[in-house]
Amino acid sequence: MVRTQDEYASAVRALKPGDRLVLADGEWRDFQVLLLGEGTPDRPITLTAQTPGKVVLTGQSNLRLGGRHLVVSNLVFRDGWSPTGEVVSFRRSRAERATHSRVTGVVIDRFNKPDRSQMDNWVAMYGHHNRFDHNHLVGKTNQGATMVVVRDAEQGLDNRHRIDHNYFGPRPNLGSNGGETLRVGTSHDSLSDSNTLVENNWFEGCDGEVEIVSNKSGGNTYRGNVFFHSRGALVLRHGDGNLVDGNFFFGGNKPHTGGIRVINRRQVVRNNYLEGLAGEGFASALSVMYGVPDSPLNRYVQVDEAVIEHNTIVDARSIVIGAGKDEERSAPPVRSRFARNLLVNGDGRDPVRVPGELSGIAFEGNVQSPAASPALGQRVRGTRVEMQREHGDVLVPVGLDGVGLPADLRPIARGATGVDWYPKHGQAAKLDGGREHAVAPGDDTLTDAVARAGAGDRLVLQAGRYLVNQVLQVHRPLTVQGPAQGEAVIAFSRPQLFQIEAGGKLRLSRLSISGELAPDEVGNAVIAVRPGSSAANYELLVEDTTIRDLTVNRGFDVVATGKGSMADLVAFRRVTVEDATGAVLSAAAETDDRGTYNAEQVEIADSQFRRVRGPAVDLYRGGTDESTFGPRIRVRGSTFEQVGQGAAALRLHGVQHAELEDNRFVDSGTVRFTHSVGKPVLVASGNAFSGTPPIESDIAITGVAP
């Protein structure tokens, strides 16, 4: 038993095979744990907690292992971040790696770098024959994969690791590349086999980017895993001869939930169950890609000798055979087999898309319900199949044998993964989930109320005038709401009224906000998210509110998002904005073309914008990386009068999905839509333009959303 870091350092130097080192219960702050030793198969060296879950490593802490036959268990990393590039590392240095070692029952809970653009990996497996099992990883928000298998010729490429029974809990949308939950290898060494086994894990709410699992090596097995309400897909990105067998994908019709993407040679995808997946394109329930002829290592190798058999796909939005076909990716799948798969859509929709060539795929014994897709023709048998749910888990066909998922396969229970002494659903604070407080008019009465408010609290303002002399910092979910009768008018004497910080969410309702008293300073905004704040995955809702008199300088915005910030949702509903010299929403801080952006989803509904010098929305996503889904914007039932004159009323660059419905543009700038990556969609219907140029778009405009 050790109770201090000095005692630990002394004890670890004397460890022998069979020794058991125990950390005393309590908080261990700024502790870089280094476990070195040489155990034996029957007498490993063990590091563990006095009580599971009662040893918490905080501050700048991490864990490194070096040696053989080491076991670490029952630690918690929380309320801090690693001072290095890894929280748990199976090596001390390039020369001292762990082999035949195990990390089990470890929790890493929101142990993020304070700057979300700074990259790290929570777990890095080096060496060979190591095991990572029954661990709990949840809430990674900064750049970098949650877990990686790192390979190089120096340590040996044949790793033979085992990653099993872990709970990979919610990982929010990163808004850029680098948000994978698990990556096995890199493109550089992808032509060699890792032979890593990934089995019986839960991936829940893993929304970081389009690749939940990024396979970049050969010979790996993915078996018995559950992907639950996770955006993205299991992607066989690089490497040959991998097996994806007996996994379960439950999308719950959540947007962008996907299944399996097939690339490269000799991949086997069989006995998988995929239900309610609403993803499209690269995040389809099943996507078999086109490749690049003579592809370099970092691009897309042609699908060759793939076997896709005995899979059941139920109520999928999209199945794509020939995904990614373009001038570069021009090589269709060859010498492949698609056999005894069951495709069922209860609503009768046909999910199958075939943008390219099918002659290189042999089809045998497949069934589609209620009818065969015209894109597949005689390659599948079309018939209505009755499905019934067994044991509350999966839908199985009635009276149809030998097609789809084997009848005896069932998903592993959530409770059989991770640890049983740490909750899997930490309840995040929500808007309007707290207490309600009445606020009287006056100078800084709102300032004081915001300072006292708890997470999720609602401040209800009485009718009258409120003067705010400090920037109101929003670190937690907060609602500020005006009265049902009368008017609550807010004026502010600082450059910003609200500033959203990490952990903050904000809802404004039934207010009248004036910028007439704001100073003439650069960066004026009603609501700001400062650069470097790491505010991420926040919601900003402005409803039934009037905002006016933002004229003290030339760039007074309503909402200004800073570099490095990321909103899940920004919404204006029944809002009036009059007389502003900047933009209503300025979300264009990410200009380095790395594919990052500042808002995933923007909504404008039933609102009025008059005499706004800048664009109502300036939404930017640059670069050509294909690892993200957004941004998305929907604008409906709104009027834009003298908005963005001489420039753009709406400036949408790199937006992936835009819908403009039943809006009026009067004496305003154009709607400018610019394509940067992917296959974006621009839907425009029922819009009226008076004294306003027509929509400028470098893609075709449709009238109906796909």
Side-chain angles (χ1 to χ4, degrees):
M1 176 78 73
V2 294
R3 301 184 182 279
T4 68
Q5 294 189 37
D6 288 342
E7 288 182 10
Y8 177 86
S10 177
V12 81
R13 287 193 291 267
L15 290 173
K16 296 184 290 295
D19 282 357
R20 186 169 180 266
L21 187 55
V22 180
L23 298 183
D25 289 350
E27 181 183 280
W28 295 69
R29 178 168 291 275
D30 300 331
F31 186 14
Q32 297 191 51
V33 183
L34 176 61
L35 180 63
L36 299 174
E38 296 289 332
T40 64
D42 58 339
R43 301 182 68 201
I45 294 172
T46 299
L47 169 65
T48 192
Q50 179 182 358
T51 307
K54 295 294 181 66
V55 171
V56 180
L57 291 102
T58 69
Q60 296 189 50
S61 299
N62 60 19
L63 167 67
R64 291 174 293 158
L65 290 76
R68 287 190 290 264
H69 300 291
L70 310 174
V71 178
V72 179
S73 65
N74 299 332
L75 309 178
V76 176
F77 289 87
R78 192 176 61 213
D79 301 325
W81 67 90
S82 172
T84 62
E86 294 149 355
V87 180
V88 174
S89 178
F90 282 74
R91 74 171 186 181
R92 177 190 189 183
S93 65
R94 291 186 64 87
E96 294 179 279
R97 309 176 197 251
T99 64
H100 299 92
S101 295
R102 181 184 183 192
V103 172
T104 183
V106 166
V107 172
I108 307 178
D109 183 357
R110 293 164 291 177
F111 208 68
N112 295 300
K113 301 282 190 187
D115 181 350
R116 67 186 296 267
S117 67
Q118 189 175 357
M119 189 182 79
D120 69 353
N121 303 310
W122 276 3
V123 180
M125 296 190 81
Y126 297 90
H128 56 85
H129 291 90
N130 293 314
R131 185 181 181 192
F132 187 80
D133 68 284
H134 293 89
N135 300 290
H136 175 115
L137 284 71
V138 61
K140 192 174 196 298
T141 59
N142 64 301
Q143 279 274 354
T146 305
M147 181 175 182
V148 293
V149 172
V150 184
R151 310 172 63 241
D152 58 58
E154 182 180 344
Q155 68 172 347
L157 296 166
D158 187 7
N159 309 118
R160 299 185 183 270
H161 297 311
R162 185 181 178 194
I163 301 167
D164 66 287
H165 294 87
N166 300 290
Y167 178 74
F168 294 100
R171 172 164 192 179
N173 173 27
L174 183 62
S176 74
N177 189 14
E180 307 98 326
T181 295
L182 173 63
R183 189 184 73 236
V184 182
T186 61
S187 58
H188 179 74
D189 293 304
S190 60
L191 295 182
S192 59
D193 289 350
S194 174
N195 292 311
T196 289
L197 172 62
V198 181
E199 66 175 349
N200 296 325
N201 302 284
W202 261 75
F203 296 85
E204 180 165 353
C206 295
D207 297 346
E209 61 147 273
V210 72
E211 298 184 12
I212 304 167
V213 174
S214 183
N215 180 87
K216 294 186 174 181
S217 51
N220 301 311
T221 297
Y222 300 90
R223 181 173 62 207
N225 303 288
V226 173
F227 296 80
F228 188 81
H229 296 188
S230 291
R231 300 190 345 160
L234 188 166
V235 181
L236 301 176
R237 185 65 182 86
H238 300 302
D240 304 328
N242 297 286
L243 173 63
V244 181
D245 185 7
N247 302 282
F248 293 82
F249 297 78
F250 299 99
N253 292 309
K254 176 179 172 180
H256 308 303
T257 47
I260 303 163
R261 179 149 52 110
V262 181
I263 316 165
N264 306 292
R265 311 172 188 92
R266 302 187 308 281
Q267 313 288 29
V268 177
V269 177
R270 69 184 182 208
N271 302 333
N272 300 286
Y273 180 85
L274 309 98
E275 181 187 349
L277 302 176
E280 300 176 274
F282 287 178
S284 296
L286 174 68
S287 56
V288 182
M289 286 201 65
Y290 259 54
V292 176
D294 301 317
S295 175
L297 286 176
N298 67 338
R299 293 304 291 155
Y300 293 86
V301 173
Q302 182 180 27
V303 173
D304 189 356
E305 296 187 82
V307 176
I308 302 171
E309 62 183 8
H310 286 288
N311 302 287
T312 294
I313 305 178
V314 181
D315 294 336
R317 182 177 179 86
S318 178
I319 297 167
V320 184
I321 302 177
K325 182 178 182 292
D326 58 20
E327 289 186 5
E328 181 203 22
R329 292 180 292 232
S330 60
V334 294
R335 295 184 292 182
S336 296
R337 184 157 57 94
F338 191 89
R340 296 177 179 82
N341 300 288
L342 176 61
L343 317 177
V344 178
N345 273 59
D347 61 4
R349 289 186 306 108
D350 177 16
V352 178
R353 309 286 180 266
V354 182
E357 174 64 49
L358 284 177
S359 62
I361 304 176
F363 288 78
E364 176 188 345
N366 302 286
V367 174
Q368 184 174 0
S369 175
S373 170
L376 296 176
Q378 299 301 313
R379 295 178 179 89
V380 301
R381 177 167 65 93
T383 185
R384 185 169 295 278
V385 177
E386 180 185 349
M387 305 288 286
Q388 66 180 20
R389 196 172 295 278
E390 292 193 358
H391 308 293
D393 294 322
V394 301
L395 289 165
V396 300
V398 177
L400 185 67
D401 297 326
V403 178
L405 183 78
D408 58 343
L409 287 185
R410 290 289 178 272
I412 187 171
R414 181 193 281 110
T417 64
V419 298
D420 58 9
W421 42 262
Y422 202 91
K424 288 187 170 58
H425 294 288
Q427 191 65 32
K430 298 180 180 180
L431 287 167
D432 299 313
R435 301 173 60 189
E436 183 174 299
H437 308 273
V439 183
D443 289 8
D444 284 321
T445 56
L446 178 57
T447 306
D448 295 339
V450 169
R452 293 192 303 267
D457 283 2
R458 180 192 296 118
L459 306 181
V460 180
L461 278 56
Q462 299 172 13
R465 184 174 174 85
Y466 296 76
L467 177 61
V468 176
N469 295 303
Q470 299 179 30
V471 178
L472 303 179
Q473 307 281 340
V474 181
H475 296 275
R476 56 186 68 86
L478 175 70
T479 293
V480 180
Q481 179 177 307
Q485 301 293 329
E487 185 179 44
V489 179
I490 302 174
F492 55 103
S493 64
R494 303 298 300 143
Q496 295 92 33
L497 174 56
F498 292 98
Q499 187 165 280
I500 298 177
E501 298 286 348
K505 299 179 182 180
L506 181 63
R507 177 173 174 253
L508 305 179
S509 177
R510 301 202 303 250
L511 302 173
S512 179
I513 298 173
S514 171
E516 61 185 341
L517 300 182
D520 183 1
E521 296 189 15
V522 175
N524 279 21
V526 177
I527 304 160
V529 188
R530 63 181 177 82
S533 65
S534 287
N537 310 110
Y538 65 89
E539 295 177 358
L540 170 59
L541 311 177
V542 185
E543 302 167 334
D544 301 299
T545 290
T546 298
I547 301 171
R548 63 181 186 274
D549 299 326
L550 311 184
T551 58
V552 294
N553 64 20
R554 295 186 60 187
F556 202 150
D557 298 325
V558 177
V559 178
T561 64
K563 187 175 179 61
S565 66
M566 176 64 180
D568 277 348
L569 173 64
V570 178
F572 297 88
R573 298 162 182 158
R574 302 170 301 281
V575 169
T576 297
V577 177
E578 295 180 328
D579 300 308
T581 58
V584 177
L585 171 61
S586 177
E590 307 293 349
T591 58
D592 52 14
D593 288 340
R594 294 188 305 161
T596 53
Y597 49 96
N598 297 118
E600 179 71 16
Q601 186 168 333
V602 176
E603 296 179 8
I604 297 177
D606 305 318
S607 295
Q608 313 289 320
F609 306 97
R610 302 186 184 96
R611 299 178 299 281
V612 177
R613 186 175 300 171
V617 176
D618 190 1
L619 183 57
Y620 183 94
R621 180 228 191 270
T624 58
D625 186 86
E626 298 174 301
S627 298
T628 54
F629 296 110
R632 299 173 65 93
I633 183 170
R634 186 180 185 194
V635 183
R636 59 181 174 82
S638 298
T639 297
F640 302 81
E641 185 174 346
Q642 299 180 41
V643 175
Q645 289 179 309
L650 299 174
R651 186 158 53 210
L652 311 176
H653 183 103
V655 171
Q656 294 298 292
H657 191 104
E659 296 184 27
L660 312 176
E661 302 172 293
D662 302 325
N663 303 292
R664 293 178 60 244
F665 295 85
V666 180
D667 298 330
S668 294
T670 186
V671 174
R672 181 170 295 124
F673 187 97
T674 307
H675 166 222
S676 67
V677 68
K679 296 182 178 179
V681 172
L682 173 57
V683 178
S685 63
N687 301 292
F689 299 88
S690 174
T692 300
I695 296 173
E696 294 180 9
S697 173
D698 57 4
I699 66 168
I701 302 172
T702 68
V704 179

